[in-house]
Amino acid sequence: TLQETPAGDLRDSFPSGDEDNTFTGNVDNEINGNWILAPTGSIHEARLKAKVKRRLRKNSSRDSGRGDSLSDNGDVVRAVVPPTSPKGKLLNRRSRMGKGRGLPKKGGAGGKGVWGTPGQVYDEDKVDFKDPNYDAEQENCIYETVVLPLDEETFEKTVTPIVQEYFEHGDANEVAELLAELNLGSMRGDVPMLAVSLALEAKASHRELTSRLLSELCECVLTAADVEASFHKLLKELPDLVLDTPGAPQMLGQFIARAVADNILPKSFIDGYKGRVDCEYARAALDRAAVLLRMSRWTGLRIDSLWGSGGGQRPVNQLIKEVNLLLKEYLLSGDTVEAERCLRELEVPHFHHEFVYEAVIMVLESKGNRTLQMILQLLKSFCASTVITVDQLRRGFERVYLDMADLSIDVPCAYSLLEQFVEQSFDAGVINKKLRDLCPCRGRKRFISEGDGGRLKLESC
């Protein structure tokens, strides 16, 4: 029998921290896994020995792969794995038999996630008719991308930017390609209506581009029925269009006449409205179209150039003639506002230096103070309203400076007139000091004779 001893007495008899070392040497009392108690043993001693045994087993299982061992004193001794041990060779993937060239297994076709050897071609998968997921109706199906048709709100948001970009680049083929990618559906007939509505609020060159666009789209995207339906809708909505564009009836009449001339509207379109028009705006549009078609038949009016061509598309000689005509009309009327409107309608802001050049030449050729003051007032007004930029103004004056040698042949007093005009332009704030200093003067001074005491000869025109 074991002698019972209170646990508190045993704990007091051993200092803390020395329990393990005290009973480490008693491990030899274990035989075949059983503990042999000394005659003076106690339950507390058995518990301590079992604790030491569990700790030794735990350390031995943790360090078994590293060759750990126990010393004679019971301490754990860690052994270093030699490089030649089998444990160190586990990370080496080379063959232990000393064979092979180090190539991948199965020629690269083995392993997880491998598709096979390079260049291997797989046969088509055969259909398993016994597969419970097999559906005979889907065997010959063809899958295509479905584009939903546009509704009224989406149509306006999608097509409006396309037409506005066309007014900038003028490429009808690009518009046709973009519209072909859309599923217009029932909104196909509203494309001409939207384009004409936007053109009514734009410039004359944009209306010309719109007429060309309708002619191009009628061959690939639109049909003649779509164009005819659009113009019917435009005639019905003229009362609303007049609120934003007062000249909408006359413009729409020109669009109808141009469409008939381009053979995208039938000639019977206008005749079908005779006696059946109650709206005064629609009647004015149809009358305008009928008059233009009658004039083209009798007088040879070219309806294909009804709107005129855009500023950048017109020949340079035509632009120069229009600039000269603008200046002559201004000298007769003196209306600066009308001259500014005509210059804006030319739509050639990159060509305004020609306007400055022709205005200065007109001052030199007129030889009168009235023309000089009117042209000076016109240039001052245009510079204040930024119709003519500083760069265009500088280029126009520089062109005059370069041509003074030829101009002085036709106008002998051109140099003195130019100096006078340049000085007054500087005083009025039209040009800066640098541009004034670039003004050329006559190359040499002329004297009356050697006996005149060196007096300069006054130039008289």
Side-chain angles (χ1 to χ4, degrees):
T1 62
L2 298 175
Q3 183 180 358
E4 295 182 0
T5 305
D9 298 340
L10 290 174
R11 280 194 295 268
D12 296 337
S13 60
F14 296 99
S16 61
D18 297 336
E19 298 175 359
D20 296 343
N21 298 331
T22 303
F23 293 94
T24 304
N26 295 331
V27 182
D28 298 337
N29 294 333
E30 180 186 1
I31 300 176
N32 296 330
N34 298 322
W35 288 93
I36 301 176
L37 296 179
T40 59
S42 61
I43 296 176
H44 182 63
E45 294 176 357
R47 288 177 179 175
L48 292 178
K49 291 179 180 180
K51 182 178 180 181
V52 174
K53 181 179 179 181
R54 286 196 303 269
R55 180 171 297 179
L56 291 176
R57 287 180 178 176
K58 181 178 180 181
N59 293 337
S60 62
S61 62
R62 182 190 305 170
D63 301 329
S64 60
R66 289 182 283 184
D68 299 340
S69 61
L70 294 176
S71 63
D72 297 338
N73 298 329
D75 298 334
V76 178
V77 179
R78 298 183 181 275
V80 180
V81 179
T84 58
S85 64
K87 295 293 183 180
K89 293 184 178 180
L90 290 178
L91 300 178
N92 190 357
R93 305 188 65 178
R94 296 181 60 184
S95 175
R96 300 182 185 180
M97 303 298 294
K99 299 180 181 180
R101 297 174 294 170
L103 299 178
K105 295 180 180 180
K106 299 181 182 179
K112 184 178 180 181
V114 179
W115 290 88
T117 57
Q120 182 177 357
V121 179
Y122 293 93
D123 298 333
E124 296 182 1
D125 294 337
K126 295 182 180 180
V127 179
D128 187 5
F129 299 100
K130 298 181 180 180
D131 190 350
N133 296 324
Y134 172 74
D135 188 359
E137 297 180 357
Q138 297 182 358
E139 185 175 355
N140 297 325
C141 291
I142 299 176
Y143 298 94
E144 296 180 354
T145 302
V146 178
V147 181
L148 298 178
L150 300 178
D151 54 1
E152 185 175 357
E153 183 179 358
T154 310
F155 169 79
E156 186 174 354
K157 291 182 180 179
T158 307
V159 180
T160 300
I162 296 177
V163 178
Q164 291 176 347
E165 290 179 2
Y166 168 71
F167 290 158
E168 300 297 331
H169 57 72
D171 190 357
N173 293 328
E174 182 177 350
V175 179
E177 293 177 359
L178 293 176
L179 294 179
E181 296 176 357
L182 303 175
N183 187 1
L184 298 175
S186 59
M187 306 298 296
R188 186 181 304 274
D190 292 343
V191 174
M193 177 181 175
L194 179 61
V196 173
S197 300
L198 294 175
L200 292 178
E201 301 176 359
K203 304 176 182 179
S205 59
H206 295 166
R207 292 190 281 272
E208 173 65 23
L209 290 174
T210 303
S211 297
R212 296 181 185 178
L213 178 64
L214 296 181
S215 180
E216 294 289 338
L217 294 182
C218 193
E219 300 177 357
C220 53
V221 178
L222 305 175
T223 61
D226 295 333
V227 177
E228 186 174 358
S230 292
F231 278 102
H232 284 309
K233 293 180 180 179
L234 285 169
L235 289 173
K236 293 180 181 179
E237 294 188 2
L238 262 180
D240 297 334
L241 296 176
V242 170
L243 298 177
D244 298 329
T245 309
Q250 289 73 23
M251 295 181 186
L252 182 58
Q254 295 181 203
F255 270 113
I256 293 174
R258 177 66 179 272
V260 173
D262 293 340
N263 297 323
I264 60 176
L265 266 183
K267 296 181 180 179
S268 60
F269 179 83
I270 301 176
D271 298 336
Y273 278 94
K274 286 185 177 180
R276 298 191 302 107
V277 181
D278 298 332
C279 179
E280 57 176 343
Y281 300 116
R283 190 183 304 111
L286 294 172
D287 291 343
R288 175 66 173 170
V291 169
L292 291 175
L293 291 174
R294 195 178 304 113
M295 291 177 61
S296 66
R297 191 182 309 113
W298 292 348
T299 63
L301 175 65
R302 295 185 58 185
I303 301 183
D304 56 350
S305 59
L306 187 63
W307 302 106
S309 56
Q313 301 177 0
R314 280 182 264 189
V316 176
N317 294 334
Q318 181 181 355
L319 289 175
I320 294 176
K321 291 180 181 179
E322 293 184 4
V323 167
N324 286 326
L325 181 62
L326 189 157
L327 290 171
K328 291 178 181 179
E329 290 179 355
Y330 167 73
L331 292 177
L332 292 176
S333 63
D335 191 352
T336 307
V337 178
E338 180 66 17
E340 180 178 346
R341 185 189 65 82
C342 294
L343 184 61
R344 290 181 183 274
E345 286 185 355
L346 291 179
E347 301 178 20
V348 284
H350 60 282
F351 201 66
H352 285 174
H353 61 86
E354 180 66 28
F355 176 83
V356 178
Y357 176 82
E358 295 294 337
V360 177
I361 295 300
M362 191 169 292
V363 171
L364 300 181
E365 293 178 349
S366 64
K367 304 178 183 179
N369 190 39
R370 177 179 177 275
T371 303
L372 186 148
Q373 295 299 328
M374 292 187 68
I375 295 296
L376 182 60
Q377 180 183 357
L378 181 64
L379 292 179
K380 183 178 180 180
S381 174
F382 284 179
C383 292
S385 60
T386 66
V387 176
I388 298 179
T389 62
V390 177
D391 181 64
Q392 295 292 321
L393 185 70
R394 177 183 56 79
R395 291 181 60 185
F397 272 91
E398 288 179 353
R399 288 182 57 193
V400 176
Y401 295 165
L402 293 175
D403 293 345
M404 281 303 297
D406 297 332
L407 293 174
S408 61
I409 298 176
D410 300 329
V411 183
C413 58
Y415 280 97
S416 60
L417 290 174
L418 180 63
E419 290 178 1
Q420 181 182 0
F421 181 74
V422 169
E423 191 66 30
Q424 293 189 18
S425 299
F426 174 74
D427 295 338
V430 177
I431 61 176
N432 54 18
K433 182 176 182 299
K434 181 178 179 181
L435 189 59
R436 184 199 65 175
D437 295 340
L438 293 176
C439 178
C441 57
R442 190 173 296 277
R444 61 184 181 88
K445 307 296 181 181
R446 295 187 299 165
F447 299 92
I448 297 177
S449 63
E450 295 179 358
D452 293 331
R455 279 192 307 108
L456 290 175
K457 181 179 179 181
L458 298 177
E459 295 181 356
S460 59
C461 300

